[in-house]
Amino acid sequence: MLKSIEWTGRSLRIIDQTEIPSCLVYKDLNTIEEVFEAIQRLRVRGAPAIGIAAAYGLYLGLRTLEEENRDDFIAKARHYAEYLSQARPTAVNLGWALNRILSDLSKLNSGVRILPVEVLEIAQYLHQDDIERCNKIGEYGSELIEDGMTILTHCNTGLLATTGIGTALGIIYTARKKRKKITVLVDETRPLLQGARLTMWELHEAGIPATLITDGMAAYALQKRKVDMVIVGADRIAKNGDVANKIGTYNLAVNCRYHRVPFYVAAPLSSFDFLINSGDQIPIEERSCQEITDVLGRIAITVKGANCWNPAFDVTPANLIKGIITEGGIYRQPLLKTLNKLNKITYQN
Amino acid sequence: MLKSIEWTGRSLRIIDQTEIPSCLVYKDLNTIEEVFEAIQRLRVRGAPAIGIAAAYGLYLGLRTLEEENRDDFIAKARHYAEYLSQARPTAVNLGWALNRILSDLSKLNSGVRILPVEVLEIAQYLHQDDIERCNKIGEYGSELIEDGMTILTHCNTGLLATTGIGTALGIIYTARKKRKKITVLVDETRPLLQGARLTMWELHEAGIPATLITDGMAAYALQKRKVDMVIVGADRIAKNGDVANKIGTYNLAVNCRYHRVPFYVAAPLSSFDFLINSGDQIPIEERSCQEITDVLGRIAITVKGANCWNPAFDVTPANLIKGIITEGGIYRQPLLKTLNKLNKITYQN
């Protein structure tokens, strides 16, 4: 199986996702700055994957420290974690992984020389954990899929977006493994075309029938009854079930409601942010105009100096979501109530 | 004012719209085959503009005929009209202009030598008529626009799409001329990016503030209350008010309904097809996969051999349309009833 992220023993090896589908290029990251750049430039992307990448990035920063004092070391770790978490503001997994490490670190009694190794071990644990969580999401989600279904998805939520089989796409892989015949309709996902570049590439590699459409065609596909179910990923989920995900997700959710087609979100529990009450509080990353005006940085599609608006994410209100598929099961409507239970019982870390 | 189409006295001069916005290239078409190619390859596009281009194209075919017999000439004219109308199947204006000429031709008593000149005169009349119709649409439509509004539009419906100021965009030009302060949000309109390439270019030339977004962002803009009104064009309107227009239009209409934002269609009466009862009967052109996979024919965005679905148009049911703005006034809900009146009273040609 392809791995979006691999620890080589000395460096973090990533698939440079900006080069797909033209080339499969691996890149070894040796410093925290290189990890920051890779996350910011979307060489590694997908909420779960950037969480794990940041965890290793923190280690890469800490391993070169010569601090002799434990408190100084931890202060530096906080500083590095803060730095990494700025690479992308919307996905919560980034902050989640880093906070997890900081919290574990403060509880450890190890000497300062050992601490970097402990950080590496936590990163490796989180990495393995992400793989297993993906498998469980795949198991739960695939139960919703019936033989012969056509599933529409947006952006990329597969091998490349996580360190395992993926979230929404992981469900599709699992359903396929269970010999369910499925077809996937893939939104190209402008501006950065993660659907066309990454999801189509993954599905092609996996031999799963897939059809590419532009984002504006999804409504027509729904009208023509070509879609049985929509499944997308998530970058952050608020306490009430509002979901921030790749721009264009909300558009799909509205259209699913109008056409009475079930709209599901698949995400690990690390994507939940119980510190915020609703989607209104999720910071939405606005990226450069050039991502719209210059397709893949290579060809200009509009007049020079054109004004653009480029929100990278949008927020889908909980009421449009049929269910959220996690490694702990499927949370259904009323989301506010079922997630509240989750917050109280399961999600105490 | 820029002219999408101009009769030079000997040939049909068009702006080659496939070259915009990088270059402003004029192309002189001298034969009916060249006109067919220009329409099919979208060098000239927009329902009203291709109607007029086809009218001149018919003349270019007929002027070289050496038929001595009137019936043979008319049979040939029918044959040519049939040929041209195949260039693009969805817009009704193409067939409308050609049928109009054939019908006028059959009523004329002129000798066979004179007939080509008569065809040219009808083409020129239709051309002038299109310009005036655009102005009237602009007048009626601009009454709906209030100072300070932000209007979202899709595809291109301006100078380039007609031989006058345009339909939906013509309304924006007219409102601006009346000194109303407006901002335009422009859907890039994948796959062929007419919004990004053509509408942004037109608005830039006209000095009207415009912001480019990807098609999947429109719903989020509506959710964020950034849009006061949506106006689009039409390629064909059925008797009941269902509207075929550029793919992505239906998506906008559904989102306008959900967000309670008025959704208007602007089109000349030549876009109405009273021979069909509903949108189900409108043929939807499906174009090549390559338009999606290779942006502007220049860069590949997905895996080789990827499967695509590329409907060039979609159908918006009448119930989602607040009103249809024509040169004869604005037709409002119930559209079936008001258009029926239009069919009976106004539209007898």
Side-chain angles (χ1 to χ4, degrees):
Chain A
M1 200 178 82
L2 270 164
K3 289 169 183 167
S4 62
I5 280 180
E6 201 174 354
W7 178 249
T8 66
R10 295 198 315 182
S11 60
L12 182 63
R13 180 166 295 165
I14 62 160
I15 293 176
D16 185 346
Q17 299 189 33
T18 63
E19 301 281 351
I20 291 175
S22 22
C23 317
L24 180 58
V25 178
Y26 290 89
K27 209 171 152 79
D28 284 347
L29 311 178
N30 290 291
T31 66
I32 183 171
E33 290 79 13
E34 285 175 4
V35 173
F36 181 93
E37 193 265 1
I39 293 173
Q40 193 173 49
R41 301 283 294 272
L42 280 60
R43 298 188 197 285
V44 55
R45 46 148 293 287
I50 63 178
I52 306 306
Y56 284 113
L58 185 58
Y59 167 69
L60 291 175
L62 295 174
R63 73 169 170 185
T64 58
L65 283 190
E66 300 191 351
E67 261 71 5
E68 296 286 337
N69 179 295
R70 197 170 182 284
D71 288 349
D72 291 352
F73 182 92
I74 287 180
K76 205 83 189 184
R78 278 190 202 293
H79 172 75
Y80 281 162
E82 181 59 27
Y83 164 70
L84 282 168
S85 69
Q86 307 282 315
R88 297 198 71 194
T90 301
V92 75
N93 315 60
L94 193 57
W96 173 86
L98 295 166
N99 285 333
R100 176 70 186 267
I101 294 178
L102 291 179
S103 152
D104 285 8
L105 210 52
S106 65
K107 289 177 208 149
L108 291 170
N109 290 321
S110 324
V112 68
R113 298 287 165 104
I114 307 298
L115 285 178
V117 183
E118 305 266 21
V119 170
L120 178 60
E121 276 175 12
I122 304 169
Q124 288 178 309
Y125 167 77
L126 293 176
H127 186 169
Q128 187 54 39
D129 193 47
D130 183 54
I131 295 172
E132 284 159 25
R133 283 167 195 249
C134 286
N135 289 337
K136 282 183 195 156
I137 292 171
E139 276 303 318
Y140 283 115
S142 62
E143 291 303 310
L144 298 168
I145 295 177
E146 289 164 30
D147 206 48
M149 271 190 171
T150 296
I151 296 149
L152 190 151
T153 191
H154 192 70
C155 198
N156 173 264
T157 56
L159 299 169
L160 294 168
T162 64
T163 61
I165 57 169
T167 55
L169 216 50
I171 291 169
I172 287 163
Y173 289 136
T174 311
R176 173 72 168 207
K177 214 169 145 190
K178 291 181 177 173
R179 301 187 176 278
K180 294 181 185 181
K181 275 193 199 118
I182 43 179
T183 307
V184 187
L185 215 53
V186 179
D187 262 2
E188 62 172 5
T189 319
R190 277 281 286 152
L192 293 181
L193 297 162
Q194 291 91 337
R197 291 190 301 115
L198 310 178
T199 300
M200 286 299 288
W201 180 78
E202 280 199 27
L203 291 169
H204 180 83
E205 294 286 310
I208 297 175
T211 299
L212 182 65
I213 57 171
T214 68
D215 305 328
M217 289 173 190
Y220 186 54
L222 285 158
Q223 185 196 46
K224 290 285 169 194
R225 300 276 149 225
K226 285 181 189 283
V227 181
D228 299 297
M229 181 187 286
V230 172
I231 317 180
V232 299
D235 286 80
R236 193 185 298 216
I237 303 173
K239 200 172 165 182
N240 69 342
D242 290 352
V243 169
N245 191 45
K246 183 55 55 204
I247 188 73
T249 299
Y250 173 62
N251 177 49
L252 279 178
V254 169
N255 270 291
C256 279
R257 166 62 50 92
Y258 189 78
H259 296 94
R260 298 167 190 273
V261 168
F263 178 87
Y264 284 98
V265 171
L269 293 169
S270 56
S271 298
F272 286 83
D273 183 353
F274 285 107
L275 297 176
I276 59 170
N277 291 319
S278 81
D280 294 343
Q281 295 162 261
I282 300 176
I284 297 297
E285 177 181 7
E286 295 202 2
R287 295 180 62 90
S288 87
C289 187
Q290 213 213 344
E291 289 185 349
I292 297 180
T293 60
D294 294 65
V295 174
L296 303 183
R298 284 189 277 167
I299 58 163
I301 58 160
T302 190
V303 282
K304 262 190 195 155
N307 186 33
C308 301
W309 181 48
N310 185 17
F313 302 90
D314 57 27
V315 175
T316 298
N319 67 48
L320 296 179
I321 299 165
K322 176 112 176 163
I324 301 178
I325 306 157
T326 75
E327 68 273 33
I330 302 174
Y331 293 88
R332 298 172 197 270
Q333 293 291 351
L335 278 175
L336 182 60
K337 209 168 147 189
T338 56
L339 293 182
N340 199 23
K341 228 179 276 175
L342 168 69
N343 185 16
K344 282 192 188 136
I345 303 167
T346 326
Y347 194 74
Q348 303 296 351
N349 67 349
Chain B
M1 199 179 83
L2 271 165
K3 289 170 181 164
S4 61
I5 279 179
E6 202 173 354
W7 178 247
T8 66
R10 294 199 314 184
S11 60
L12 182 62
R13 179 166 296 165
I14 62 160
I15 293 175
D16 185 345
Q17 298 189 33
T18 62
E19 300 282 351
I20 289 178
S22 23
C23 317
L24 181 59
V25 178
Y26 290 89
K27 208 172 152 84
D28 285 347
L29 310 177
N30 290 291
T31 65
I32 184 172
E33 290 80 11
E34 285 175 4
V35 173
F36 180 92
E37 192 266 0
I39 294 173
Q40 194 174 47
R41 301 283 294 271
L42 279 58
R43 299 187 196 286
V44 55
R45 48 147 291 288
I50 63 178
I52 307 305
Y56 285 113
L58 185 58
Y59 166 69
L60 291 174
L62 295 174
R63 73 171 172 185
T64 58
L65 283 190
E66 299 191 350
E67 261 69 7
E68 296 285 338
N69 180 295
R70 198 172 180 285
D71 288 348
D72 290 351
F73 182 92
I74 288 181
K76 205 84 189 184
R78 278 190 201 291
H79 172 75
Y80 281 161
E82 179 60 28
Y83 164 68
L84 282 168
S85 67
Q86 306 283 315
R88 297 199 69 195
T90 300
V92 74
N93 315 59
L94 193 59
W96 173 85
L98 294 166
N99 285 334
R100 176 70 185 267
I101 295 177
L102 291 179
S103 151
D104 284 8
L105 210 55
S106 67
K107 289 176 205 149
L108 291 169
N109 288 321
S110 323
V112 68
R113 298 288 165 104
I114 305 298
L115 285 178
V117 184
E118 305 265 21
V119 170
L120 177 60
E121 277 174 11
I122 304 168
Q124 287 177 309
Y125 167 78
L126 293 175
H127 186 169
Q128 187 53 39
D129 193 46
D130 183 53
I131 295 170
E132 286 159 23
R133 284 169 194 248
C134 285
N135 290 337
K136 283 184 195 158
I137 291 170
E139 276 304 319
Y140 283 113
S142 62
E143 292 304 311
L144 298 169
I145 295 177
E146 288 164 31
D147 206 47
M149 270 189 172
T150 296
I151 296 149
L152 189 153
T153 190
H154 190 72
C155 199
N156 173 266
T157 57
L159 298 168
L160 293 168
T162 63
T163 61
I165 56 168
T167 55
L169 215 50
I171 291 169
I172 287 164
Y173 289 135
T174 310
R176 172 74 169 202
K177 214 170 147 190
K178 291 180 176 171
R179 301 187 175 278
K180 294 181 186 182
K181 275 191 199 118
I182 42 177
T183 306
V184 187
L185 214 54
V186 179
D187 262 2
E188 63 172 5
T189 319
R190 279 278 288 151
L192 293 181
L193 296 161
Q194 292 92 337
R197 292 190 301 116
L198 311 177
T199 300
M200 286 298 288
W201 180 79
E202 280 198 28
L203 291 169
H204 180 82
E205 294 285 311
I208 297 176
T211 298
L212 182 64
I213 57 171
T214 67
D215 305 328
M217 289 172 190
Y220 186 54
L222 286 157
Q223 184 196 45
K224 290 284 168 196
R225 299 278 150 222
K226 286 180 186 283
V227 181
D228 299 298
M229 182 187 282
V230 172
I231 318 181
V232 299
D235 287 81
R236 191 184 301 215
I237 303 173
K239 200 172 167 181
N240 69 343
D242 290 353
V243 169
N245 191 46
K246 182 56 55 201
I247 188 75
T249 300
Y250 172 62
N251 177 49
L252 279 178
V254 168
N255 270 290
C256 280
R257 165 61 50 91
Y258 189 77
H259 296 93
R260 298 169 191 274
V261 167
F263 178 88
Y264 284 98
V265 171
L269 294 169
S270 56
S271 299
F272 287 84
D273 183 353
F274 285 107
L275 298 176
I276 58 170
N277 291 321
S278 81
D280 294 343
Q281 294 162 265
I282 301 176
I284 297 297
E285 178 181 6
E286 296 202 3
R287 295 179 64 90
S288 87
C289 186
Q290 215 215 343
E291 289 185 348
I292 297 181
T293 60
D294 295 65
V295 174
L296 302 183
R298 282 188 279 165
I299 57 163
I301 58 159
T302 190
V303 283
K304 263 191 193 153
N307 187 33
C308 301
W309 181 48
N310 185 17
F313 302 90
D314 57 28
V315 175
T316 298
N319 67 49
L320 296 178
I321 300 166
K322 174 110 176 163
I324 301 178
I325 307 157
T326 74
E327 70 271 35
I330 303 174
Y331 293 88
R332 296 172 199 271
Q333 293 289 352
L335 278 174
L336 183 60
K337 210 169 147 189
T338 56
L339 292 181
N340 198 23
K341 228 180 273 174
L342 167 71
N343 185 16
K344 279 190 189 137
I345 302 165
T346 328
Y347 195 74
Q348 304 294 351
N349 67 352

